[in-house]
Amino acid sequence: MKKITRSVVARLLPGRAQHAHKGDFGRVLVVAGSRRMCGAGLLCAKSALLAGAGLVYWALPKSMQPSFAAALPEVITLPLPETKTGEIAQSAWPTLKDFITQHKPTVLAVGPGMGNSPLLPVLLRQANIPLVVDADALNTVARLQLFSYQKPVVFTPHPGEMARLLKMDVAVAEKSRVAQVTRLAQQTHHVCVLKGHQTLVALSHGIQTDIWQNTTGGPALAKAGSGDVLAGLIAGLWAQQGAKDARSAFQMAACAVYLHGLAGDLAAAESSSYSVLACDVAAQVGKAFSQVTKEEHIL
């Protein structure tokens, strides 16, 4: 099992040419949020921008749009119809489908804070685009066993979500965690990120499964919203690679979990592992990139 280290990430990170423009760095569409969990989409969309994506779109319930467009002016928002309880409605699909056709996002990150949105089964079945599947979208995948996709996918479960996906007990021991991430990677033939202490990133090809283990992060990340930041980082990095295939997804997911963990470590160093919020992790992403790309700034 390979360790994800600073040198590995420095070698894999997408380049940033001096003459580049925003069109060179990919477009991320985030479908996230509900009235009860407004902030999840903001954390995800903001983190996609912090990862370096050139353009980020955010599809969200229409009642949230005025406030959150002001809170994150760098994203382009798409207000969608919502249910009486504030989740994105199934009737939003034609609007979202037309938006995807028109704007051609490179990657779609779906799930954070969406609750029981009736849009999720339709989107997961019909969106023909590379996906980062997180949070409530994973629960829909588990419930309906939606593992077959034409385009590459990154699944990002925490241990409880992984147990639901595989219909198994929650893995605690490291050996069990490795076994579960291997099983999901082999079952889906997509990239699987099992979050937790020393997050695992897996991809199967043939009878072989590559598993990389993260070396950053700690209890500071054990806080609501942390996974939303990670989903945005994965989508933002992968979009810069053009989301070409599963291998690029695997490599960018590995970079994202390392940077996410390092940002958590930096945030904890400024306050404590008790007091770090997900927004504090996002605020340290830039410094994490700097430490990876400039050797003299290594922590």
Side-chain angles (χ1 to χ4, degrees):
M1 186 160 51
K2 183 174 181 176
K3 301 288 186 181
I4 307 172
T5 63
R6 191 204 67 84
S7 60
V8 169
V9 174
R11 186 178 73 252
L12 293 175
L13 278 178
R16 307 284 291 185
Q18 289 294 325
H19 60 272
H21 57 83
K22 63 186 178 184
D24 294 327
F25 296 129
R27 299 175 299 280
V28 174
L29 171 59
V30 173
V31 183
S34 63
R35 198 179 302 155
R36 288 178 57 247
M37 293 177 282
C38 306
L42 185 145
L43 289 166
C44 185
K46 183 175 184 177
S47 298
L49 285 167
L50 291 169
L55 282 165
V56 175
Y57 312 109
W58 179 13
L60 70 171
K62 63 182 180 181
S63 63
M64 291 171 50
Q65 193 267 347
S67 297
F68 283 85
L72 193 59
E74 299 88 350
V75 304
I76 299 166
T77 54
L78 175 64
L80 294 175
E82 60 189 90
T83 66
K84 292 180 180 180
T85 52
E87 290 94 12
I88 301 176
Q90 183 176 339
S91 61
W93 174 242
T95 300
L96 185 60
K97 182 180 179 182
D98 289 346
F99 187 90
I100 292 170
T101 300
Q102 179 181 353
H103 293 276
K104 297 178 173 56
T106 316
V107 176
L108 192 161
V110 58
M114 290 185 71
N116 294 317
S117 168
L119 174 68
L120 280 168
V122 181
L123 187 155
L124 290 166
R125 287 188 171 109
Q126 298 194 36
N128 188 22
I129 182 174
L131 296 173
V132 176
V133 179
D134 187 50
D136 294 312
L138 288 168
N139 293 329
T140 299
V141 168
R143 187 175 75 253
L144 302 177
Q145 294 292 285
L146 297 175
F147 295 122
S148 179
Y149 300 88
Q150 293 183 351
K151 301 290 185 179
V153 176
V154 180
F155 296 107
T156 61
H158 58 55
E161 291 163 342
M162 177 65 89
R164 290 192 287 274
L165 288 165
L166 296 176
K167 301 187 183 304
M168 299 176 69
D169 292 335
V170 175
V172 178
E174 185 61 25
K175 184 177 180 180
S176 298
R177 284 171 50 80
V178 171
Q180 287 195 357
V181 79
T182 301
R183 179 169 174 175
L184 187 62
Q186 291 177 346
Q187 179 177 326
T188 64
H189 304 289
H190 292 294
V191 176
C192 302
V193 177
L194 178 53
K195 295 181 288 195
H197 177 60
Q198 298 182 325
T199 292
L200 301 171
V201 183
L203 175 64
S204 290
H205 43 95
I207 61 172
Q208 182 178 343
T209 301
D210 290 336
I211 302 176
W212 291 6
Q213 184 181 57
N214 193 29
T215 57
T216 59
L221 297 176
K223 195 74 66 75
S226 181
D228 306 324
V229 174
L230 178 58
L233 292 177
I234 294 171
L237 286 171
W238 193 22
Q240 292 169 73
Q241 291 284 69
K244 299 183 294 293
D245 51 32
R247 194 67 193 174
S248 67
F250 177 76
Q251 293 174 343
M252 292 306 99
C255 290
V257 300
Y258 182 92
L259 290 161
H260 180 251
L262 179 56
D265 294 340
L266 291 165
E270 286 197 358
S271 54
S272 74
S273 63
Y274 293 90
S275 304
V276 171
L277 304 179
C279 59
D280 300 326
V281 177
Q284 294 290 341
V285 166
K287 190 177 290 185
F289 269 96
S290 180
Q291 292 199 357
V292 168
T293 57
K294 298 178 182 179
E295 186 145 355
E296 65 270 21
H297 289 167
I298 296 174
L299 182 67

